[in-house]
Amino acid sequence: MAVTACQGLGFVVSLIGIAGVIAATCMDQWSTQDLYNNPVTAVFNYQGLWRSCVRESSGFTECRGYFTLLGLPAMLQAVRALMIVGIILGAISLLVSIFALKCIRIGSMEDSAKAKMTLTSGVMFIIAGLCAIAGVSVFANMLVTNFWMSTANMYTGLGGMVQTVQTRYTFGSALFVGWVAGGLTLIGGVMMCIACRGLVPEESNYKTVSYHASGHNVAYRTGGFKASTGFGPSTKNKKIYEGGAHTEDEGQSQPSKYDYV
């Protein structure tokens, strides 16, 4: 019961995380305009991975997509790639984990097969979460670098007494959604990997082979020839008498002198 609950909870947490990663990738508020000491408040700018938008004080919003690929910064393209890879891995993991759920029976699938599928989906969830967290962190680092470079260039001339108007960008809401979603996906993957250990059958049947040590205890008849070696599981039990060695079948079929005593 605990294994089923752990597996189901891991699946739900991972599902929420992948949904959050998709939402963060599609959002436009990856970077928002910093309004601190900004004299222009009638226009508010914000940017995403796929387009940049301008919102006026009247409530009108206009967005324009990035109609170029080679003209974009390399860091932005890397963030795009990481988020897309995370979404693809998460979608495949969800599909695999659905068939791996213990509460769902598909044909005569054994628990060992479900354990392998659960482990595979858990590892893929972990990789997807790491891709999302890495993508958001790279974009945040790029924002921090550009913010401080813009701040250093704002004051020029006359010993820094003249302030130039320059647009600075800070963290947007999509970054926090991406961090939380990546963390949830990572946690869900870890829970799936933990549930995998409980799905492995505890009783394992091993084929055993009996071992017989080699020995020199060979029974001989009184005539001097060897009767039998006595090796192997199919060899019949022997009873050794004073006069020689005979098997039980021989003792029953052929009368000996001890039968009349």
Side-chain angles (χ1 to χ4, degrees):
M1 185 64 183
V3 175
T4 305
C6 182
Q7 186 185 34
L9 184 60
F11 174 77
V12 173
V13 172
S14 300
L15 179 61
I16 297 174
I18 294 299
V21 172
I22 296 175
T25 306
C26 298
M27 290 176 65
D28 296 326
Q29 290 83 13
W30 279 71
S31 60
T32 58
Q33 182 179 358
D34 184 27
L35 299 179
Y36 180 73
N37 287 338
N38 188 5
V40 181
T41 58
V43 178
F44 179 71
N45 300 320
Y46 55 93
Q47 298 176 350
L49 296 179
W50 314 101
R51 59 181 183 175
S52 60
C53 301
V54 177
R55 186 177 63 203
E56 300 178 356
S57 58
S58 59
F60 179 76
T61 302
E62 181 181 1
C63 295
R64 185 176 184 274
Y66 303 137
F67 299 108
T68 181
L69 183 62
L70 299 178
L72 296 175
M75 299 297 290
L76 181 60
Q77 296 183 13
V79 172
R80 281 182 173 183
L82 287 172
M83 300 303 291
I84 292 175
V85 169
I87 292 174
I88 294 175
L89 289 177
I92 298 175
S93 303
L94 288 175
L95 183 62
V96 174
S97 59
I98 289 175
F99 295 101
L101 291 176
K102 191 175 182 180
C103 57
I104 298 178
R105 284 291 179 183
I106 301 177
S108 59
M109 183 179 296
E110 299 179 355
D111 290 340
S112 58
K114 285 183 174 290
K116 294 179 181 178
M117 296 175 65
T118 303
L119 179 61
T120 303
S121 61
V123 172
M124 294 179 69
F125 277 134
I126 293 175
I127 297 176
L130 291 177
C131 287
I133 295 175
V136 176
S137 300
V138 168
F139 193 90
N141 180 68
M142 183 173 59
L143 281 180
V144 171
T145 303
N146 294 335
F147 182 86
W148 290 112
M149 289 180 63
S150 301
T151 303
N153 296 330
M154 283 183 63
Y155 298 93
T156 58
L158 297 179
M161 299 302 296
V162 178
Q163 182 177 358
T164 60
V165 178
Q166 189 172 359
T167 304
R168 298 183 302 178
Y169 291 92
T170 184
F171 293 171
S173 57
L175 296 181
F176 302 101
V177 174
W179 273 319
V180 174
L184 290 177
T185 306
L186 183 63
I187 294 173
V190 172
M191 295 180 67
M192 295 290 284
C193 293
I194 294 175
C196 167
R197 299 183 59 184
L199 293 175
V200 178
E202 296 180 358
E203 297 181 358
S204 301
N205 297 324
Y206 298 96
K207 295 182 179 180
T208 58
V209 179
S210 59
Y211 174 76
H212 299 276
S214 60
H216 300 284
N217 298 328
V218 181
Y220 293 91
R221 295 179 184 272
T222 55
F225 60 89
K226 183 169 63 175
S228 175
T229 57
F231 293 103
S234 61
T235 305
K236 298 179 181 179
N237 297 328
K238 300 179 182 300
K239 292 183 178 179
I240 301 176
Y241 301 95
E242 294 179 358
H246 301 277
T247 61
E248 292 183 356
D249 294 343
E250 293 177 353
Q252 295 177 359
S253 60
Q254 298 179 2
S256 63
K257 64 180 181 179
Y258 297 98
D259 295 339
Y260 302 98
V261 177

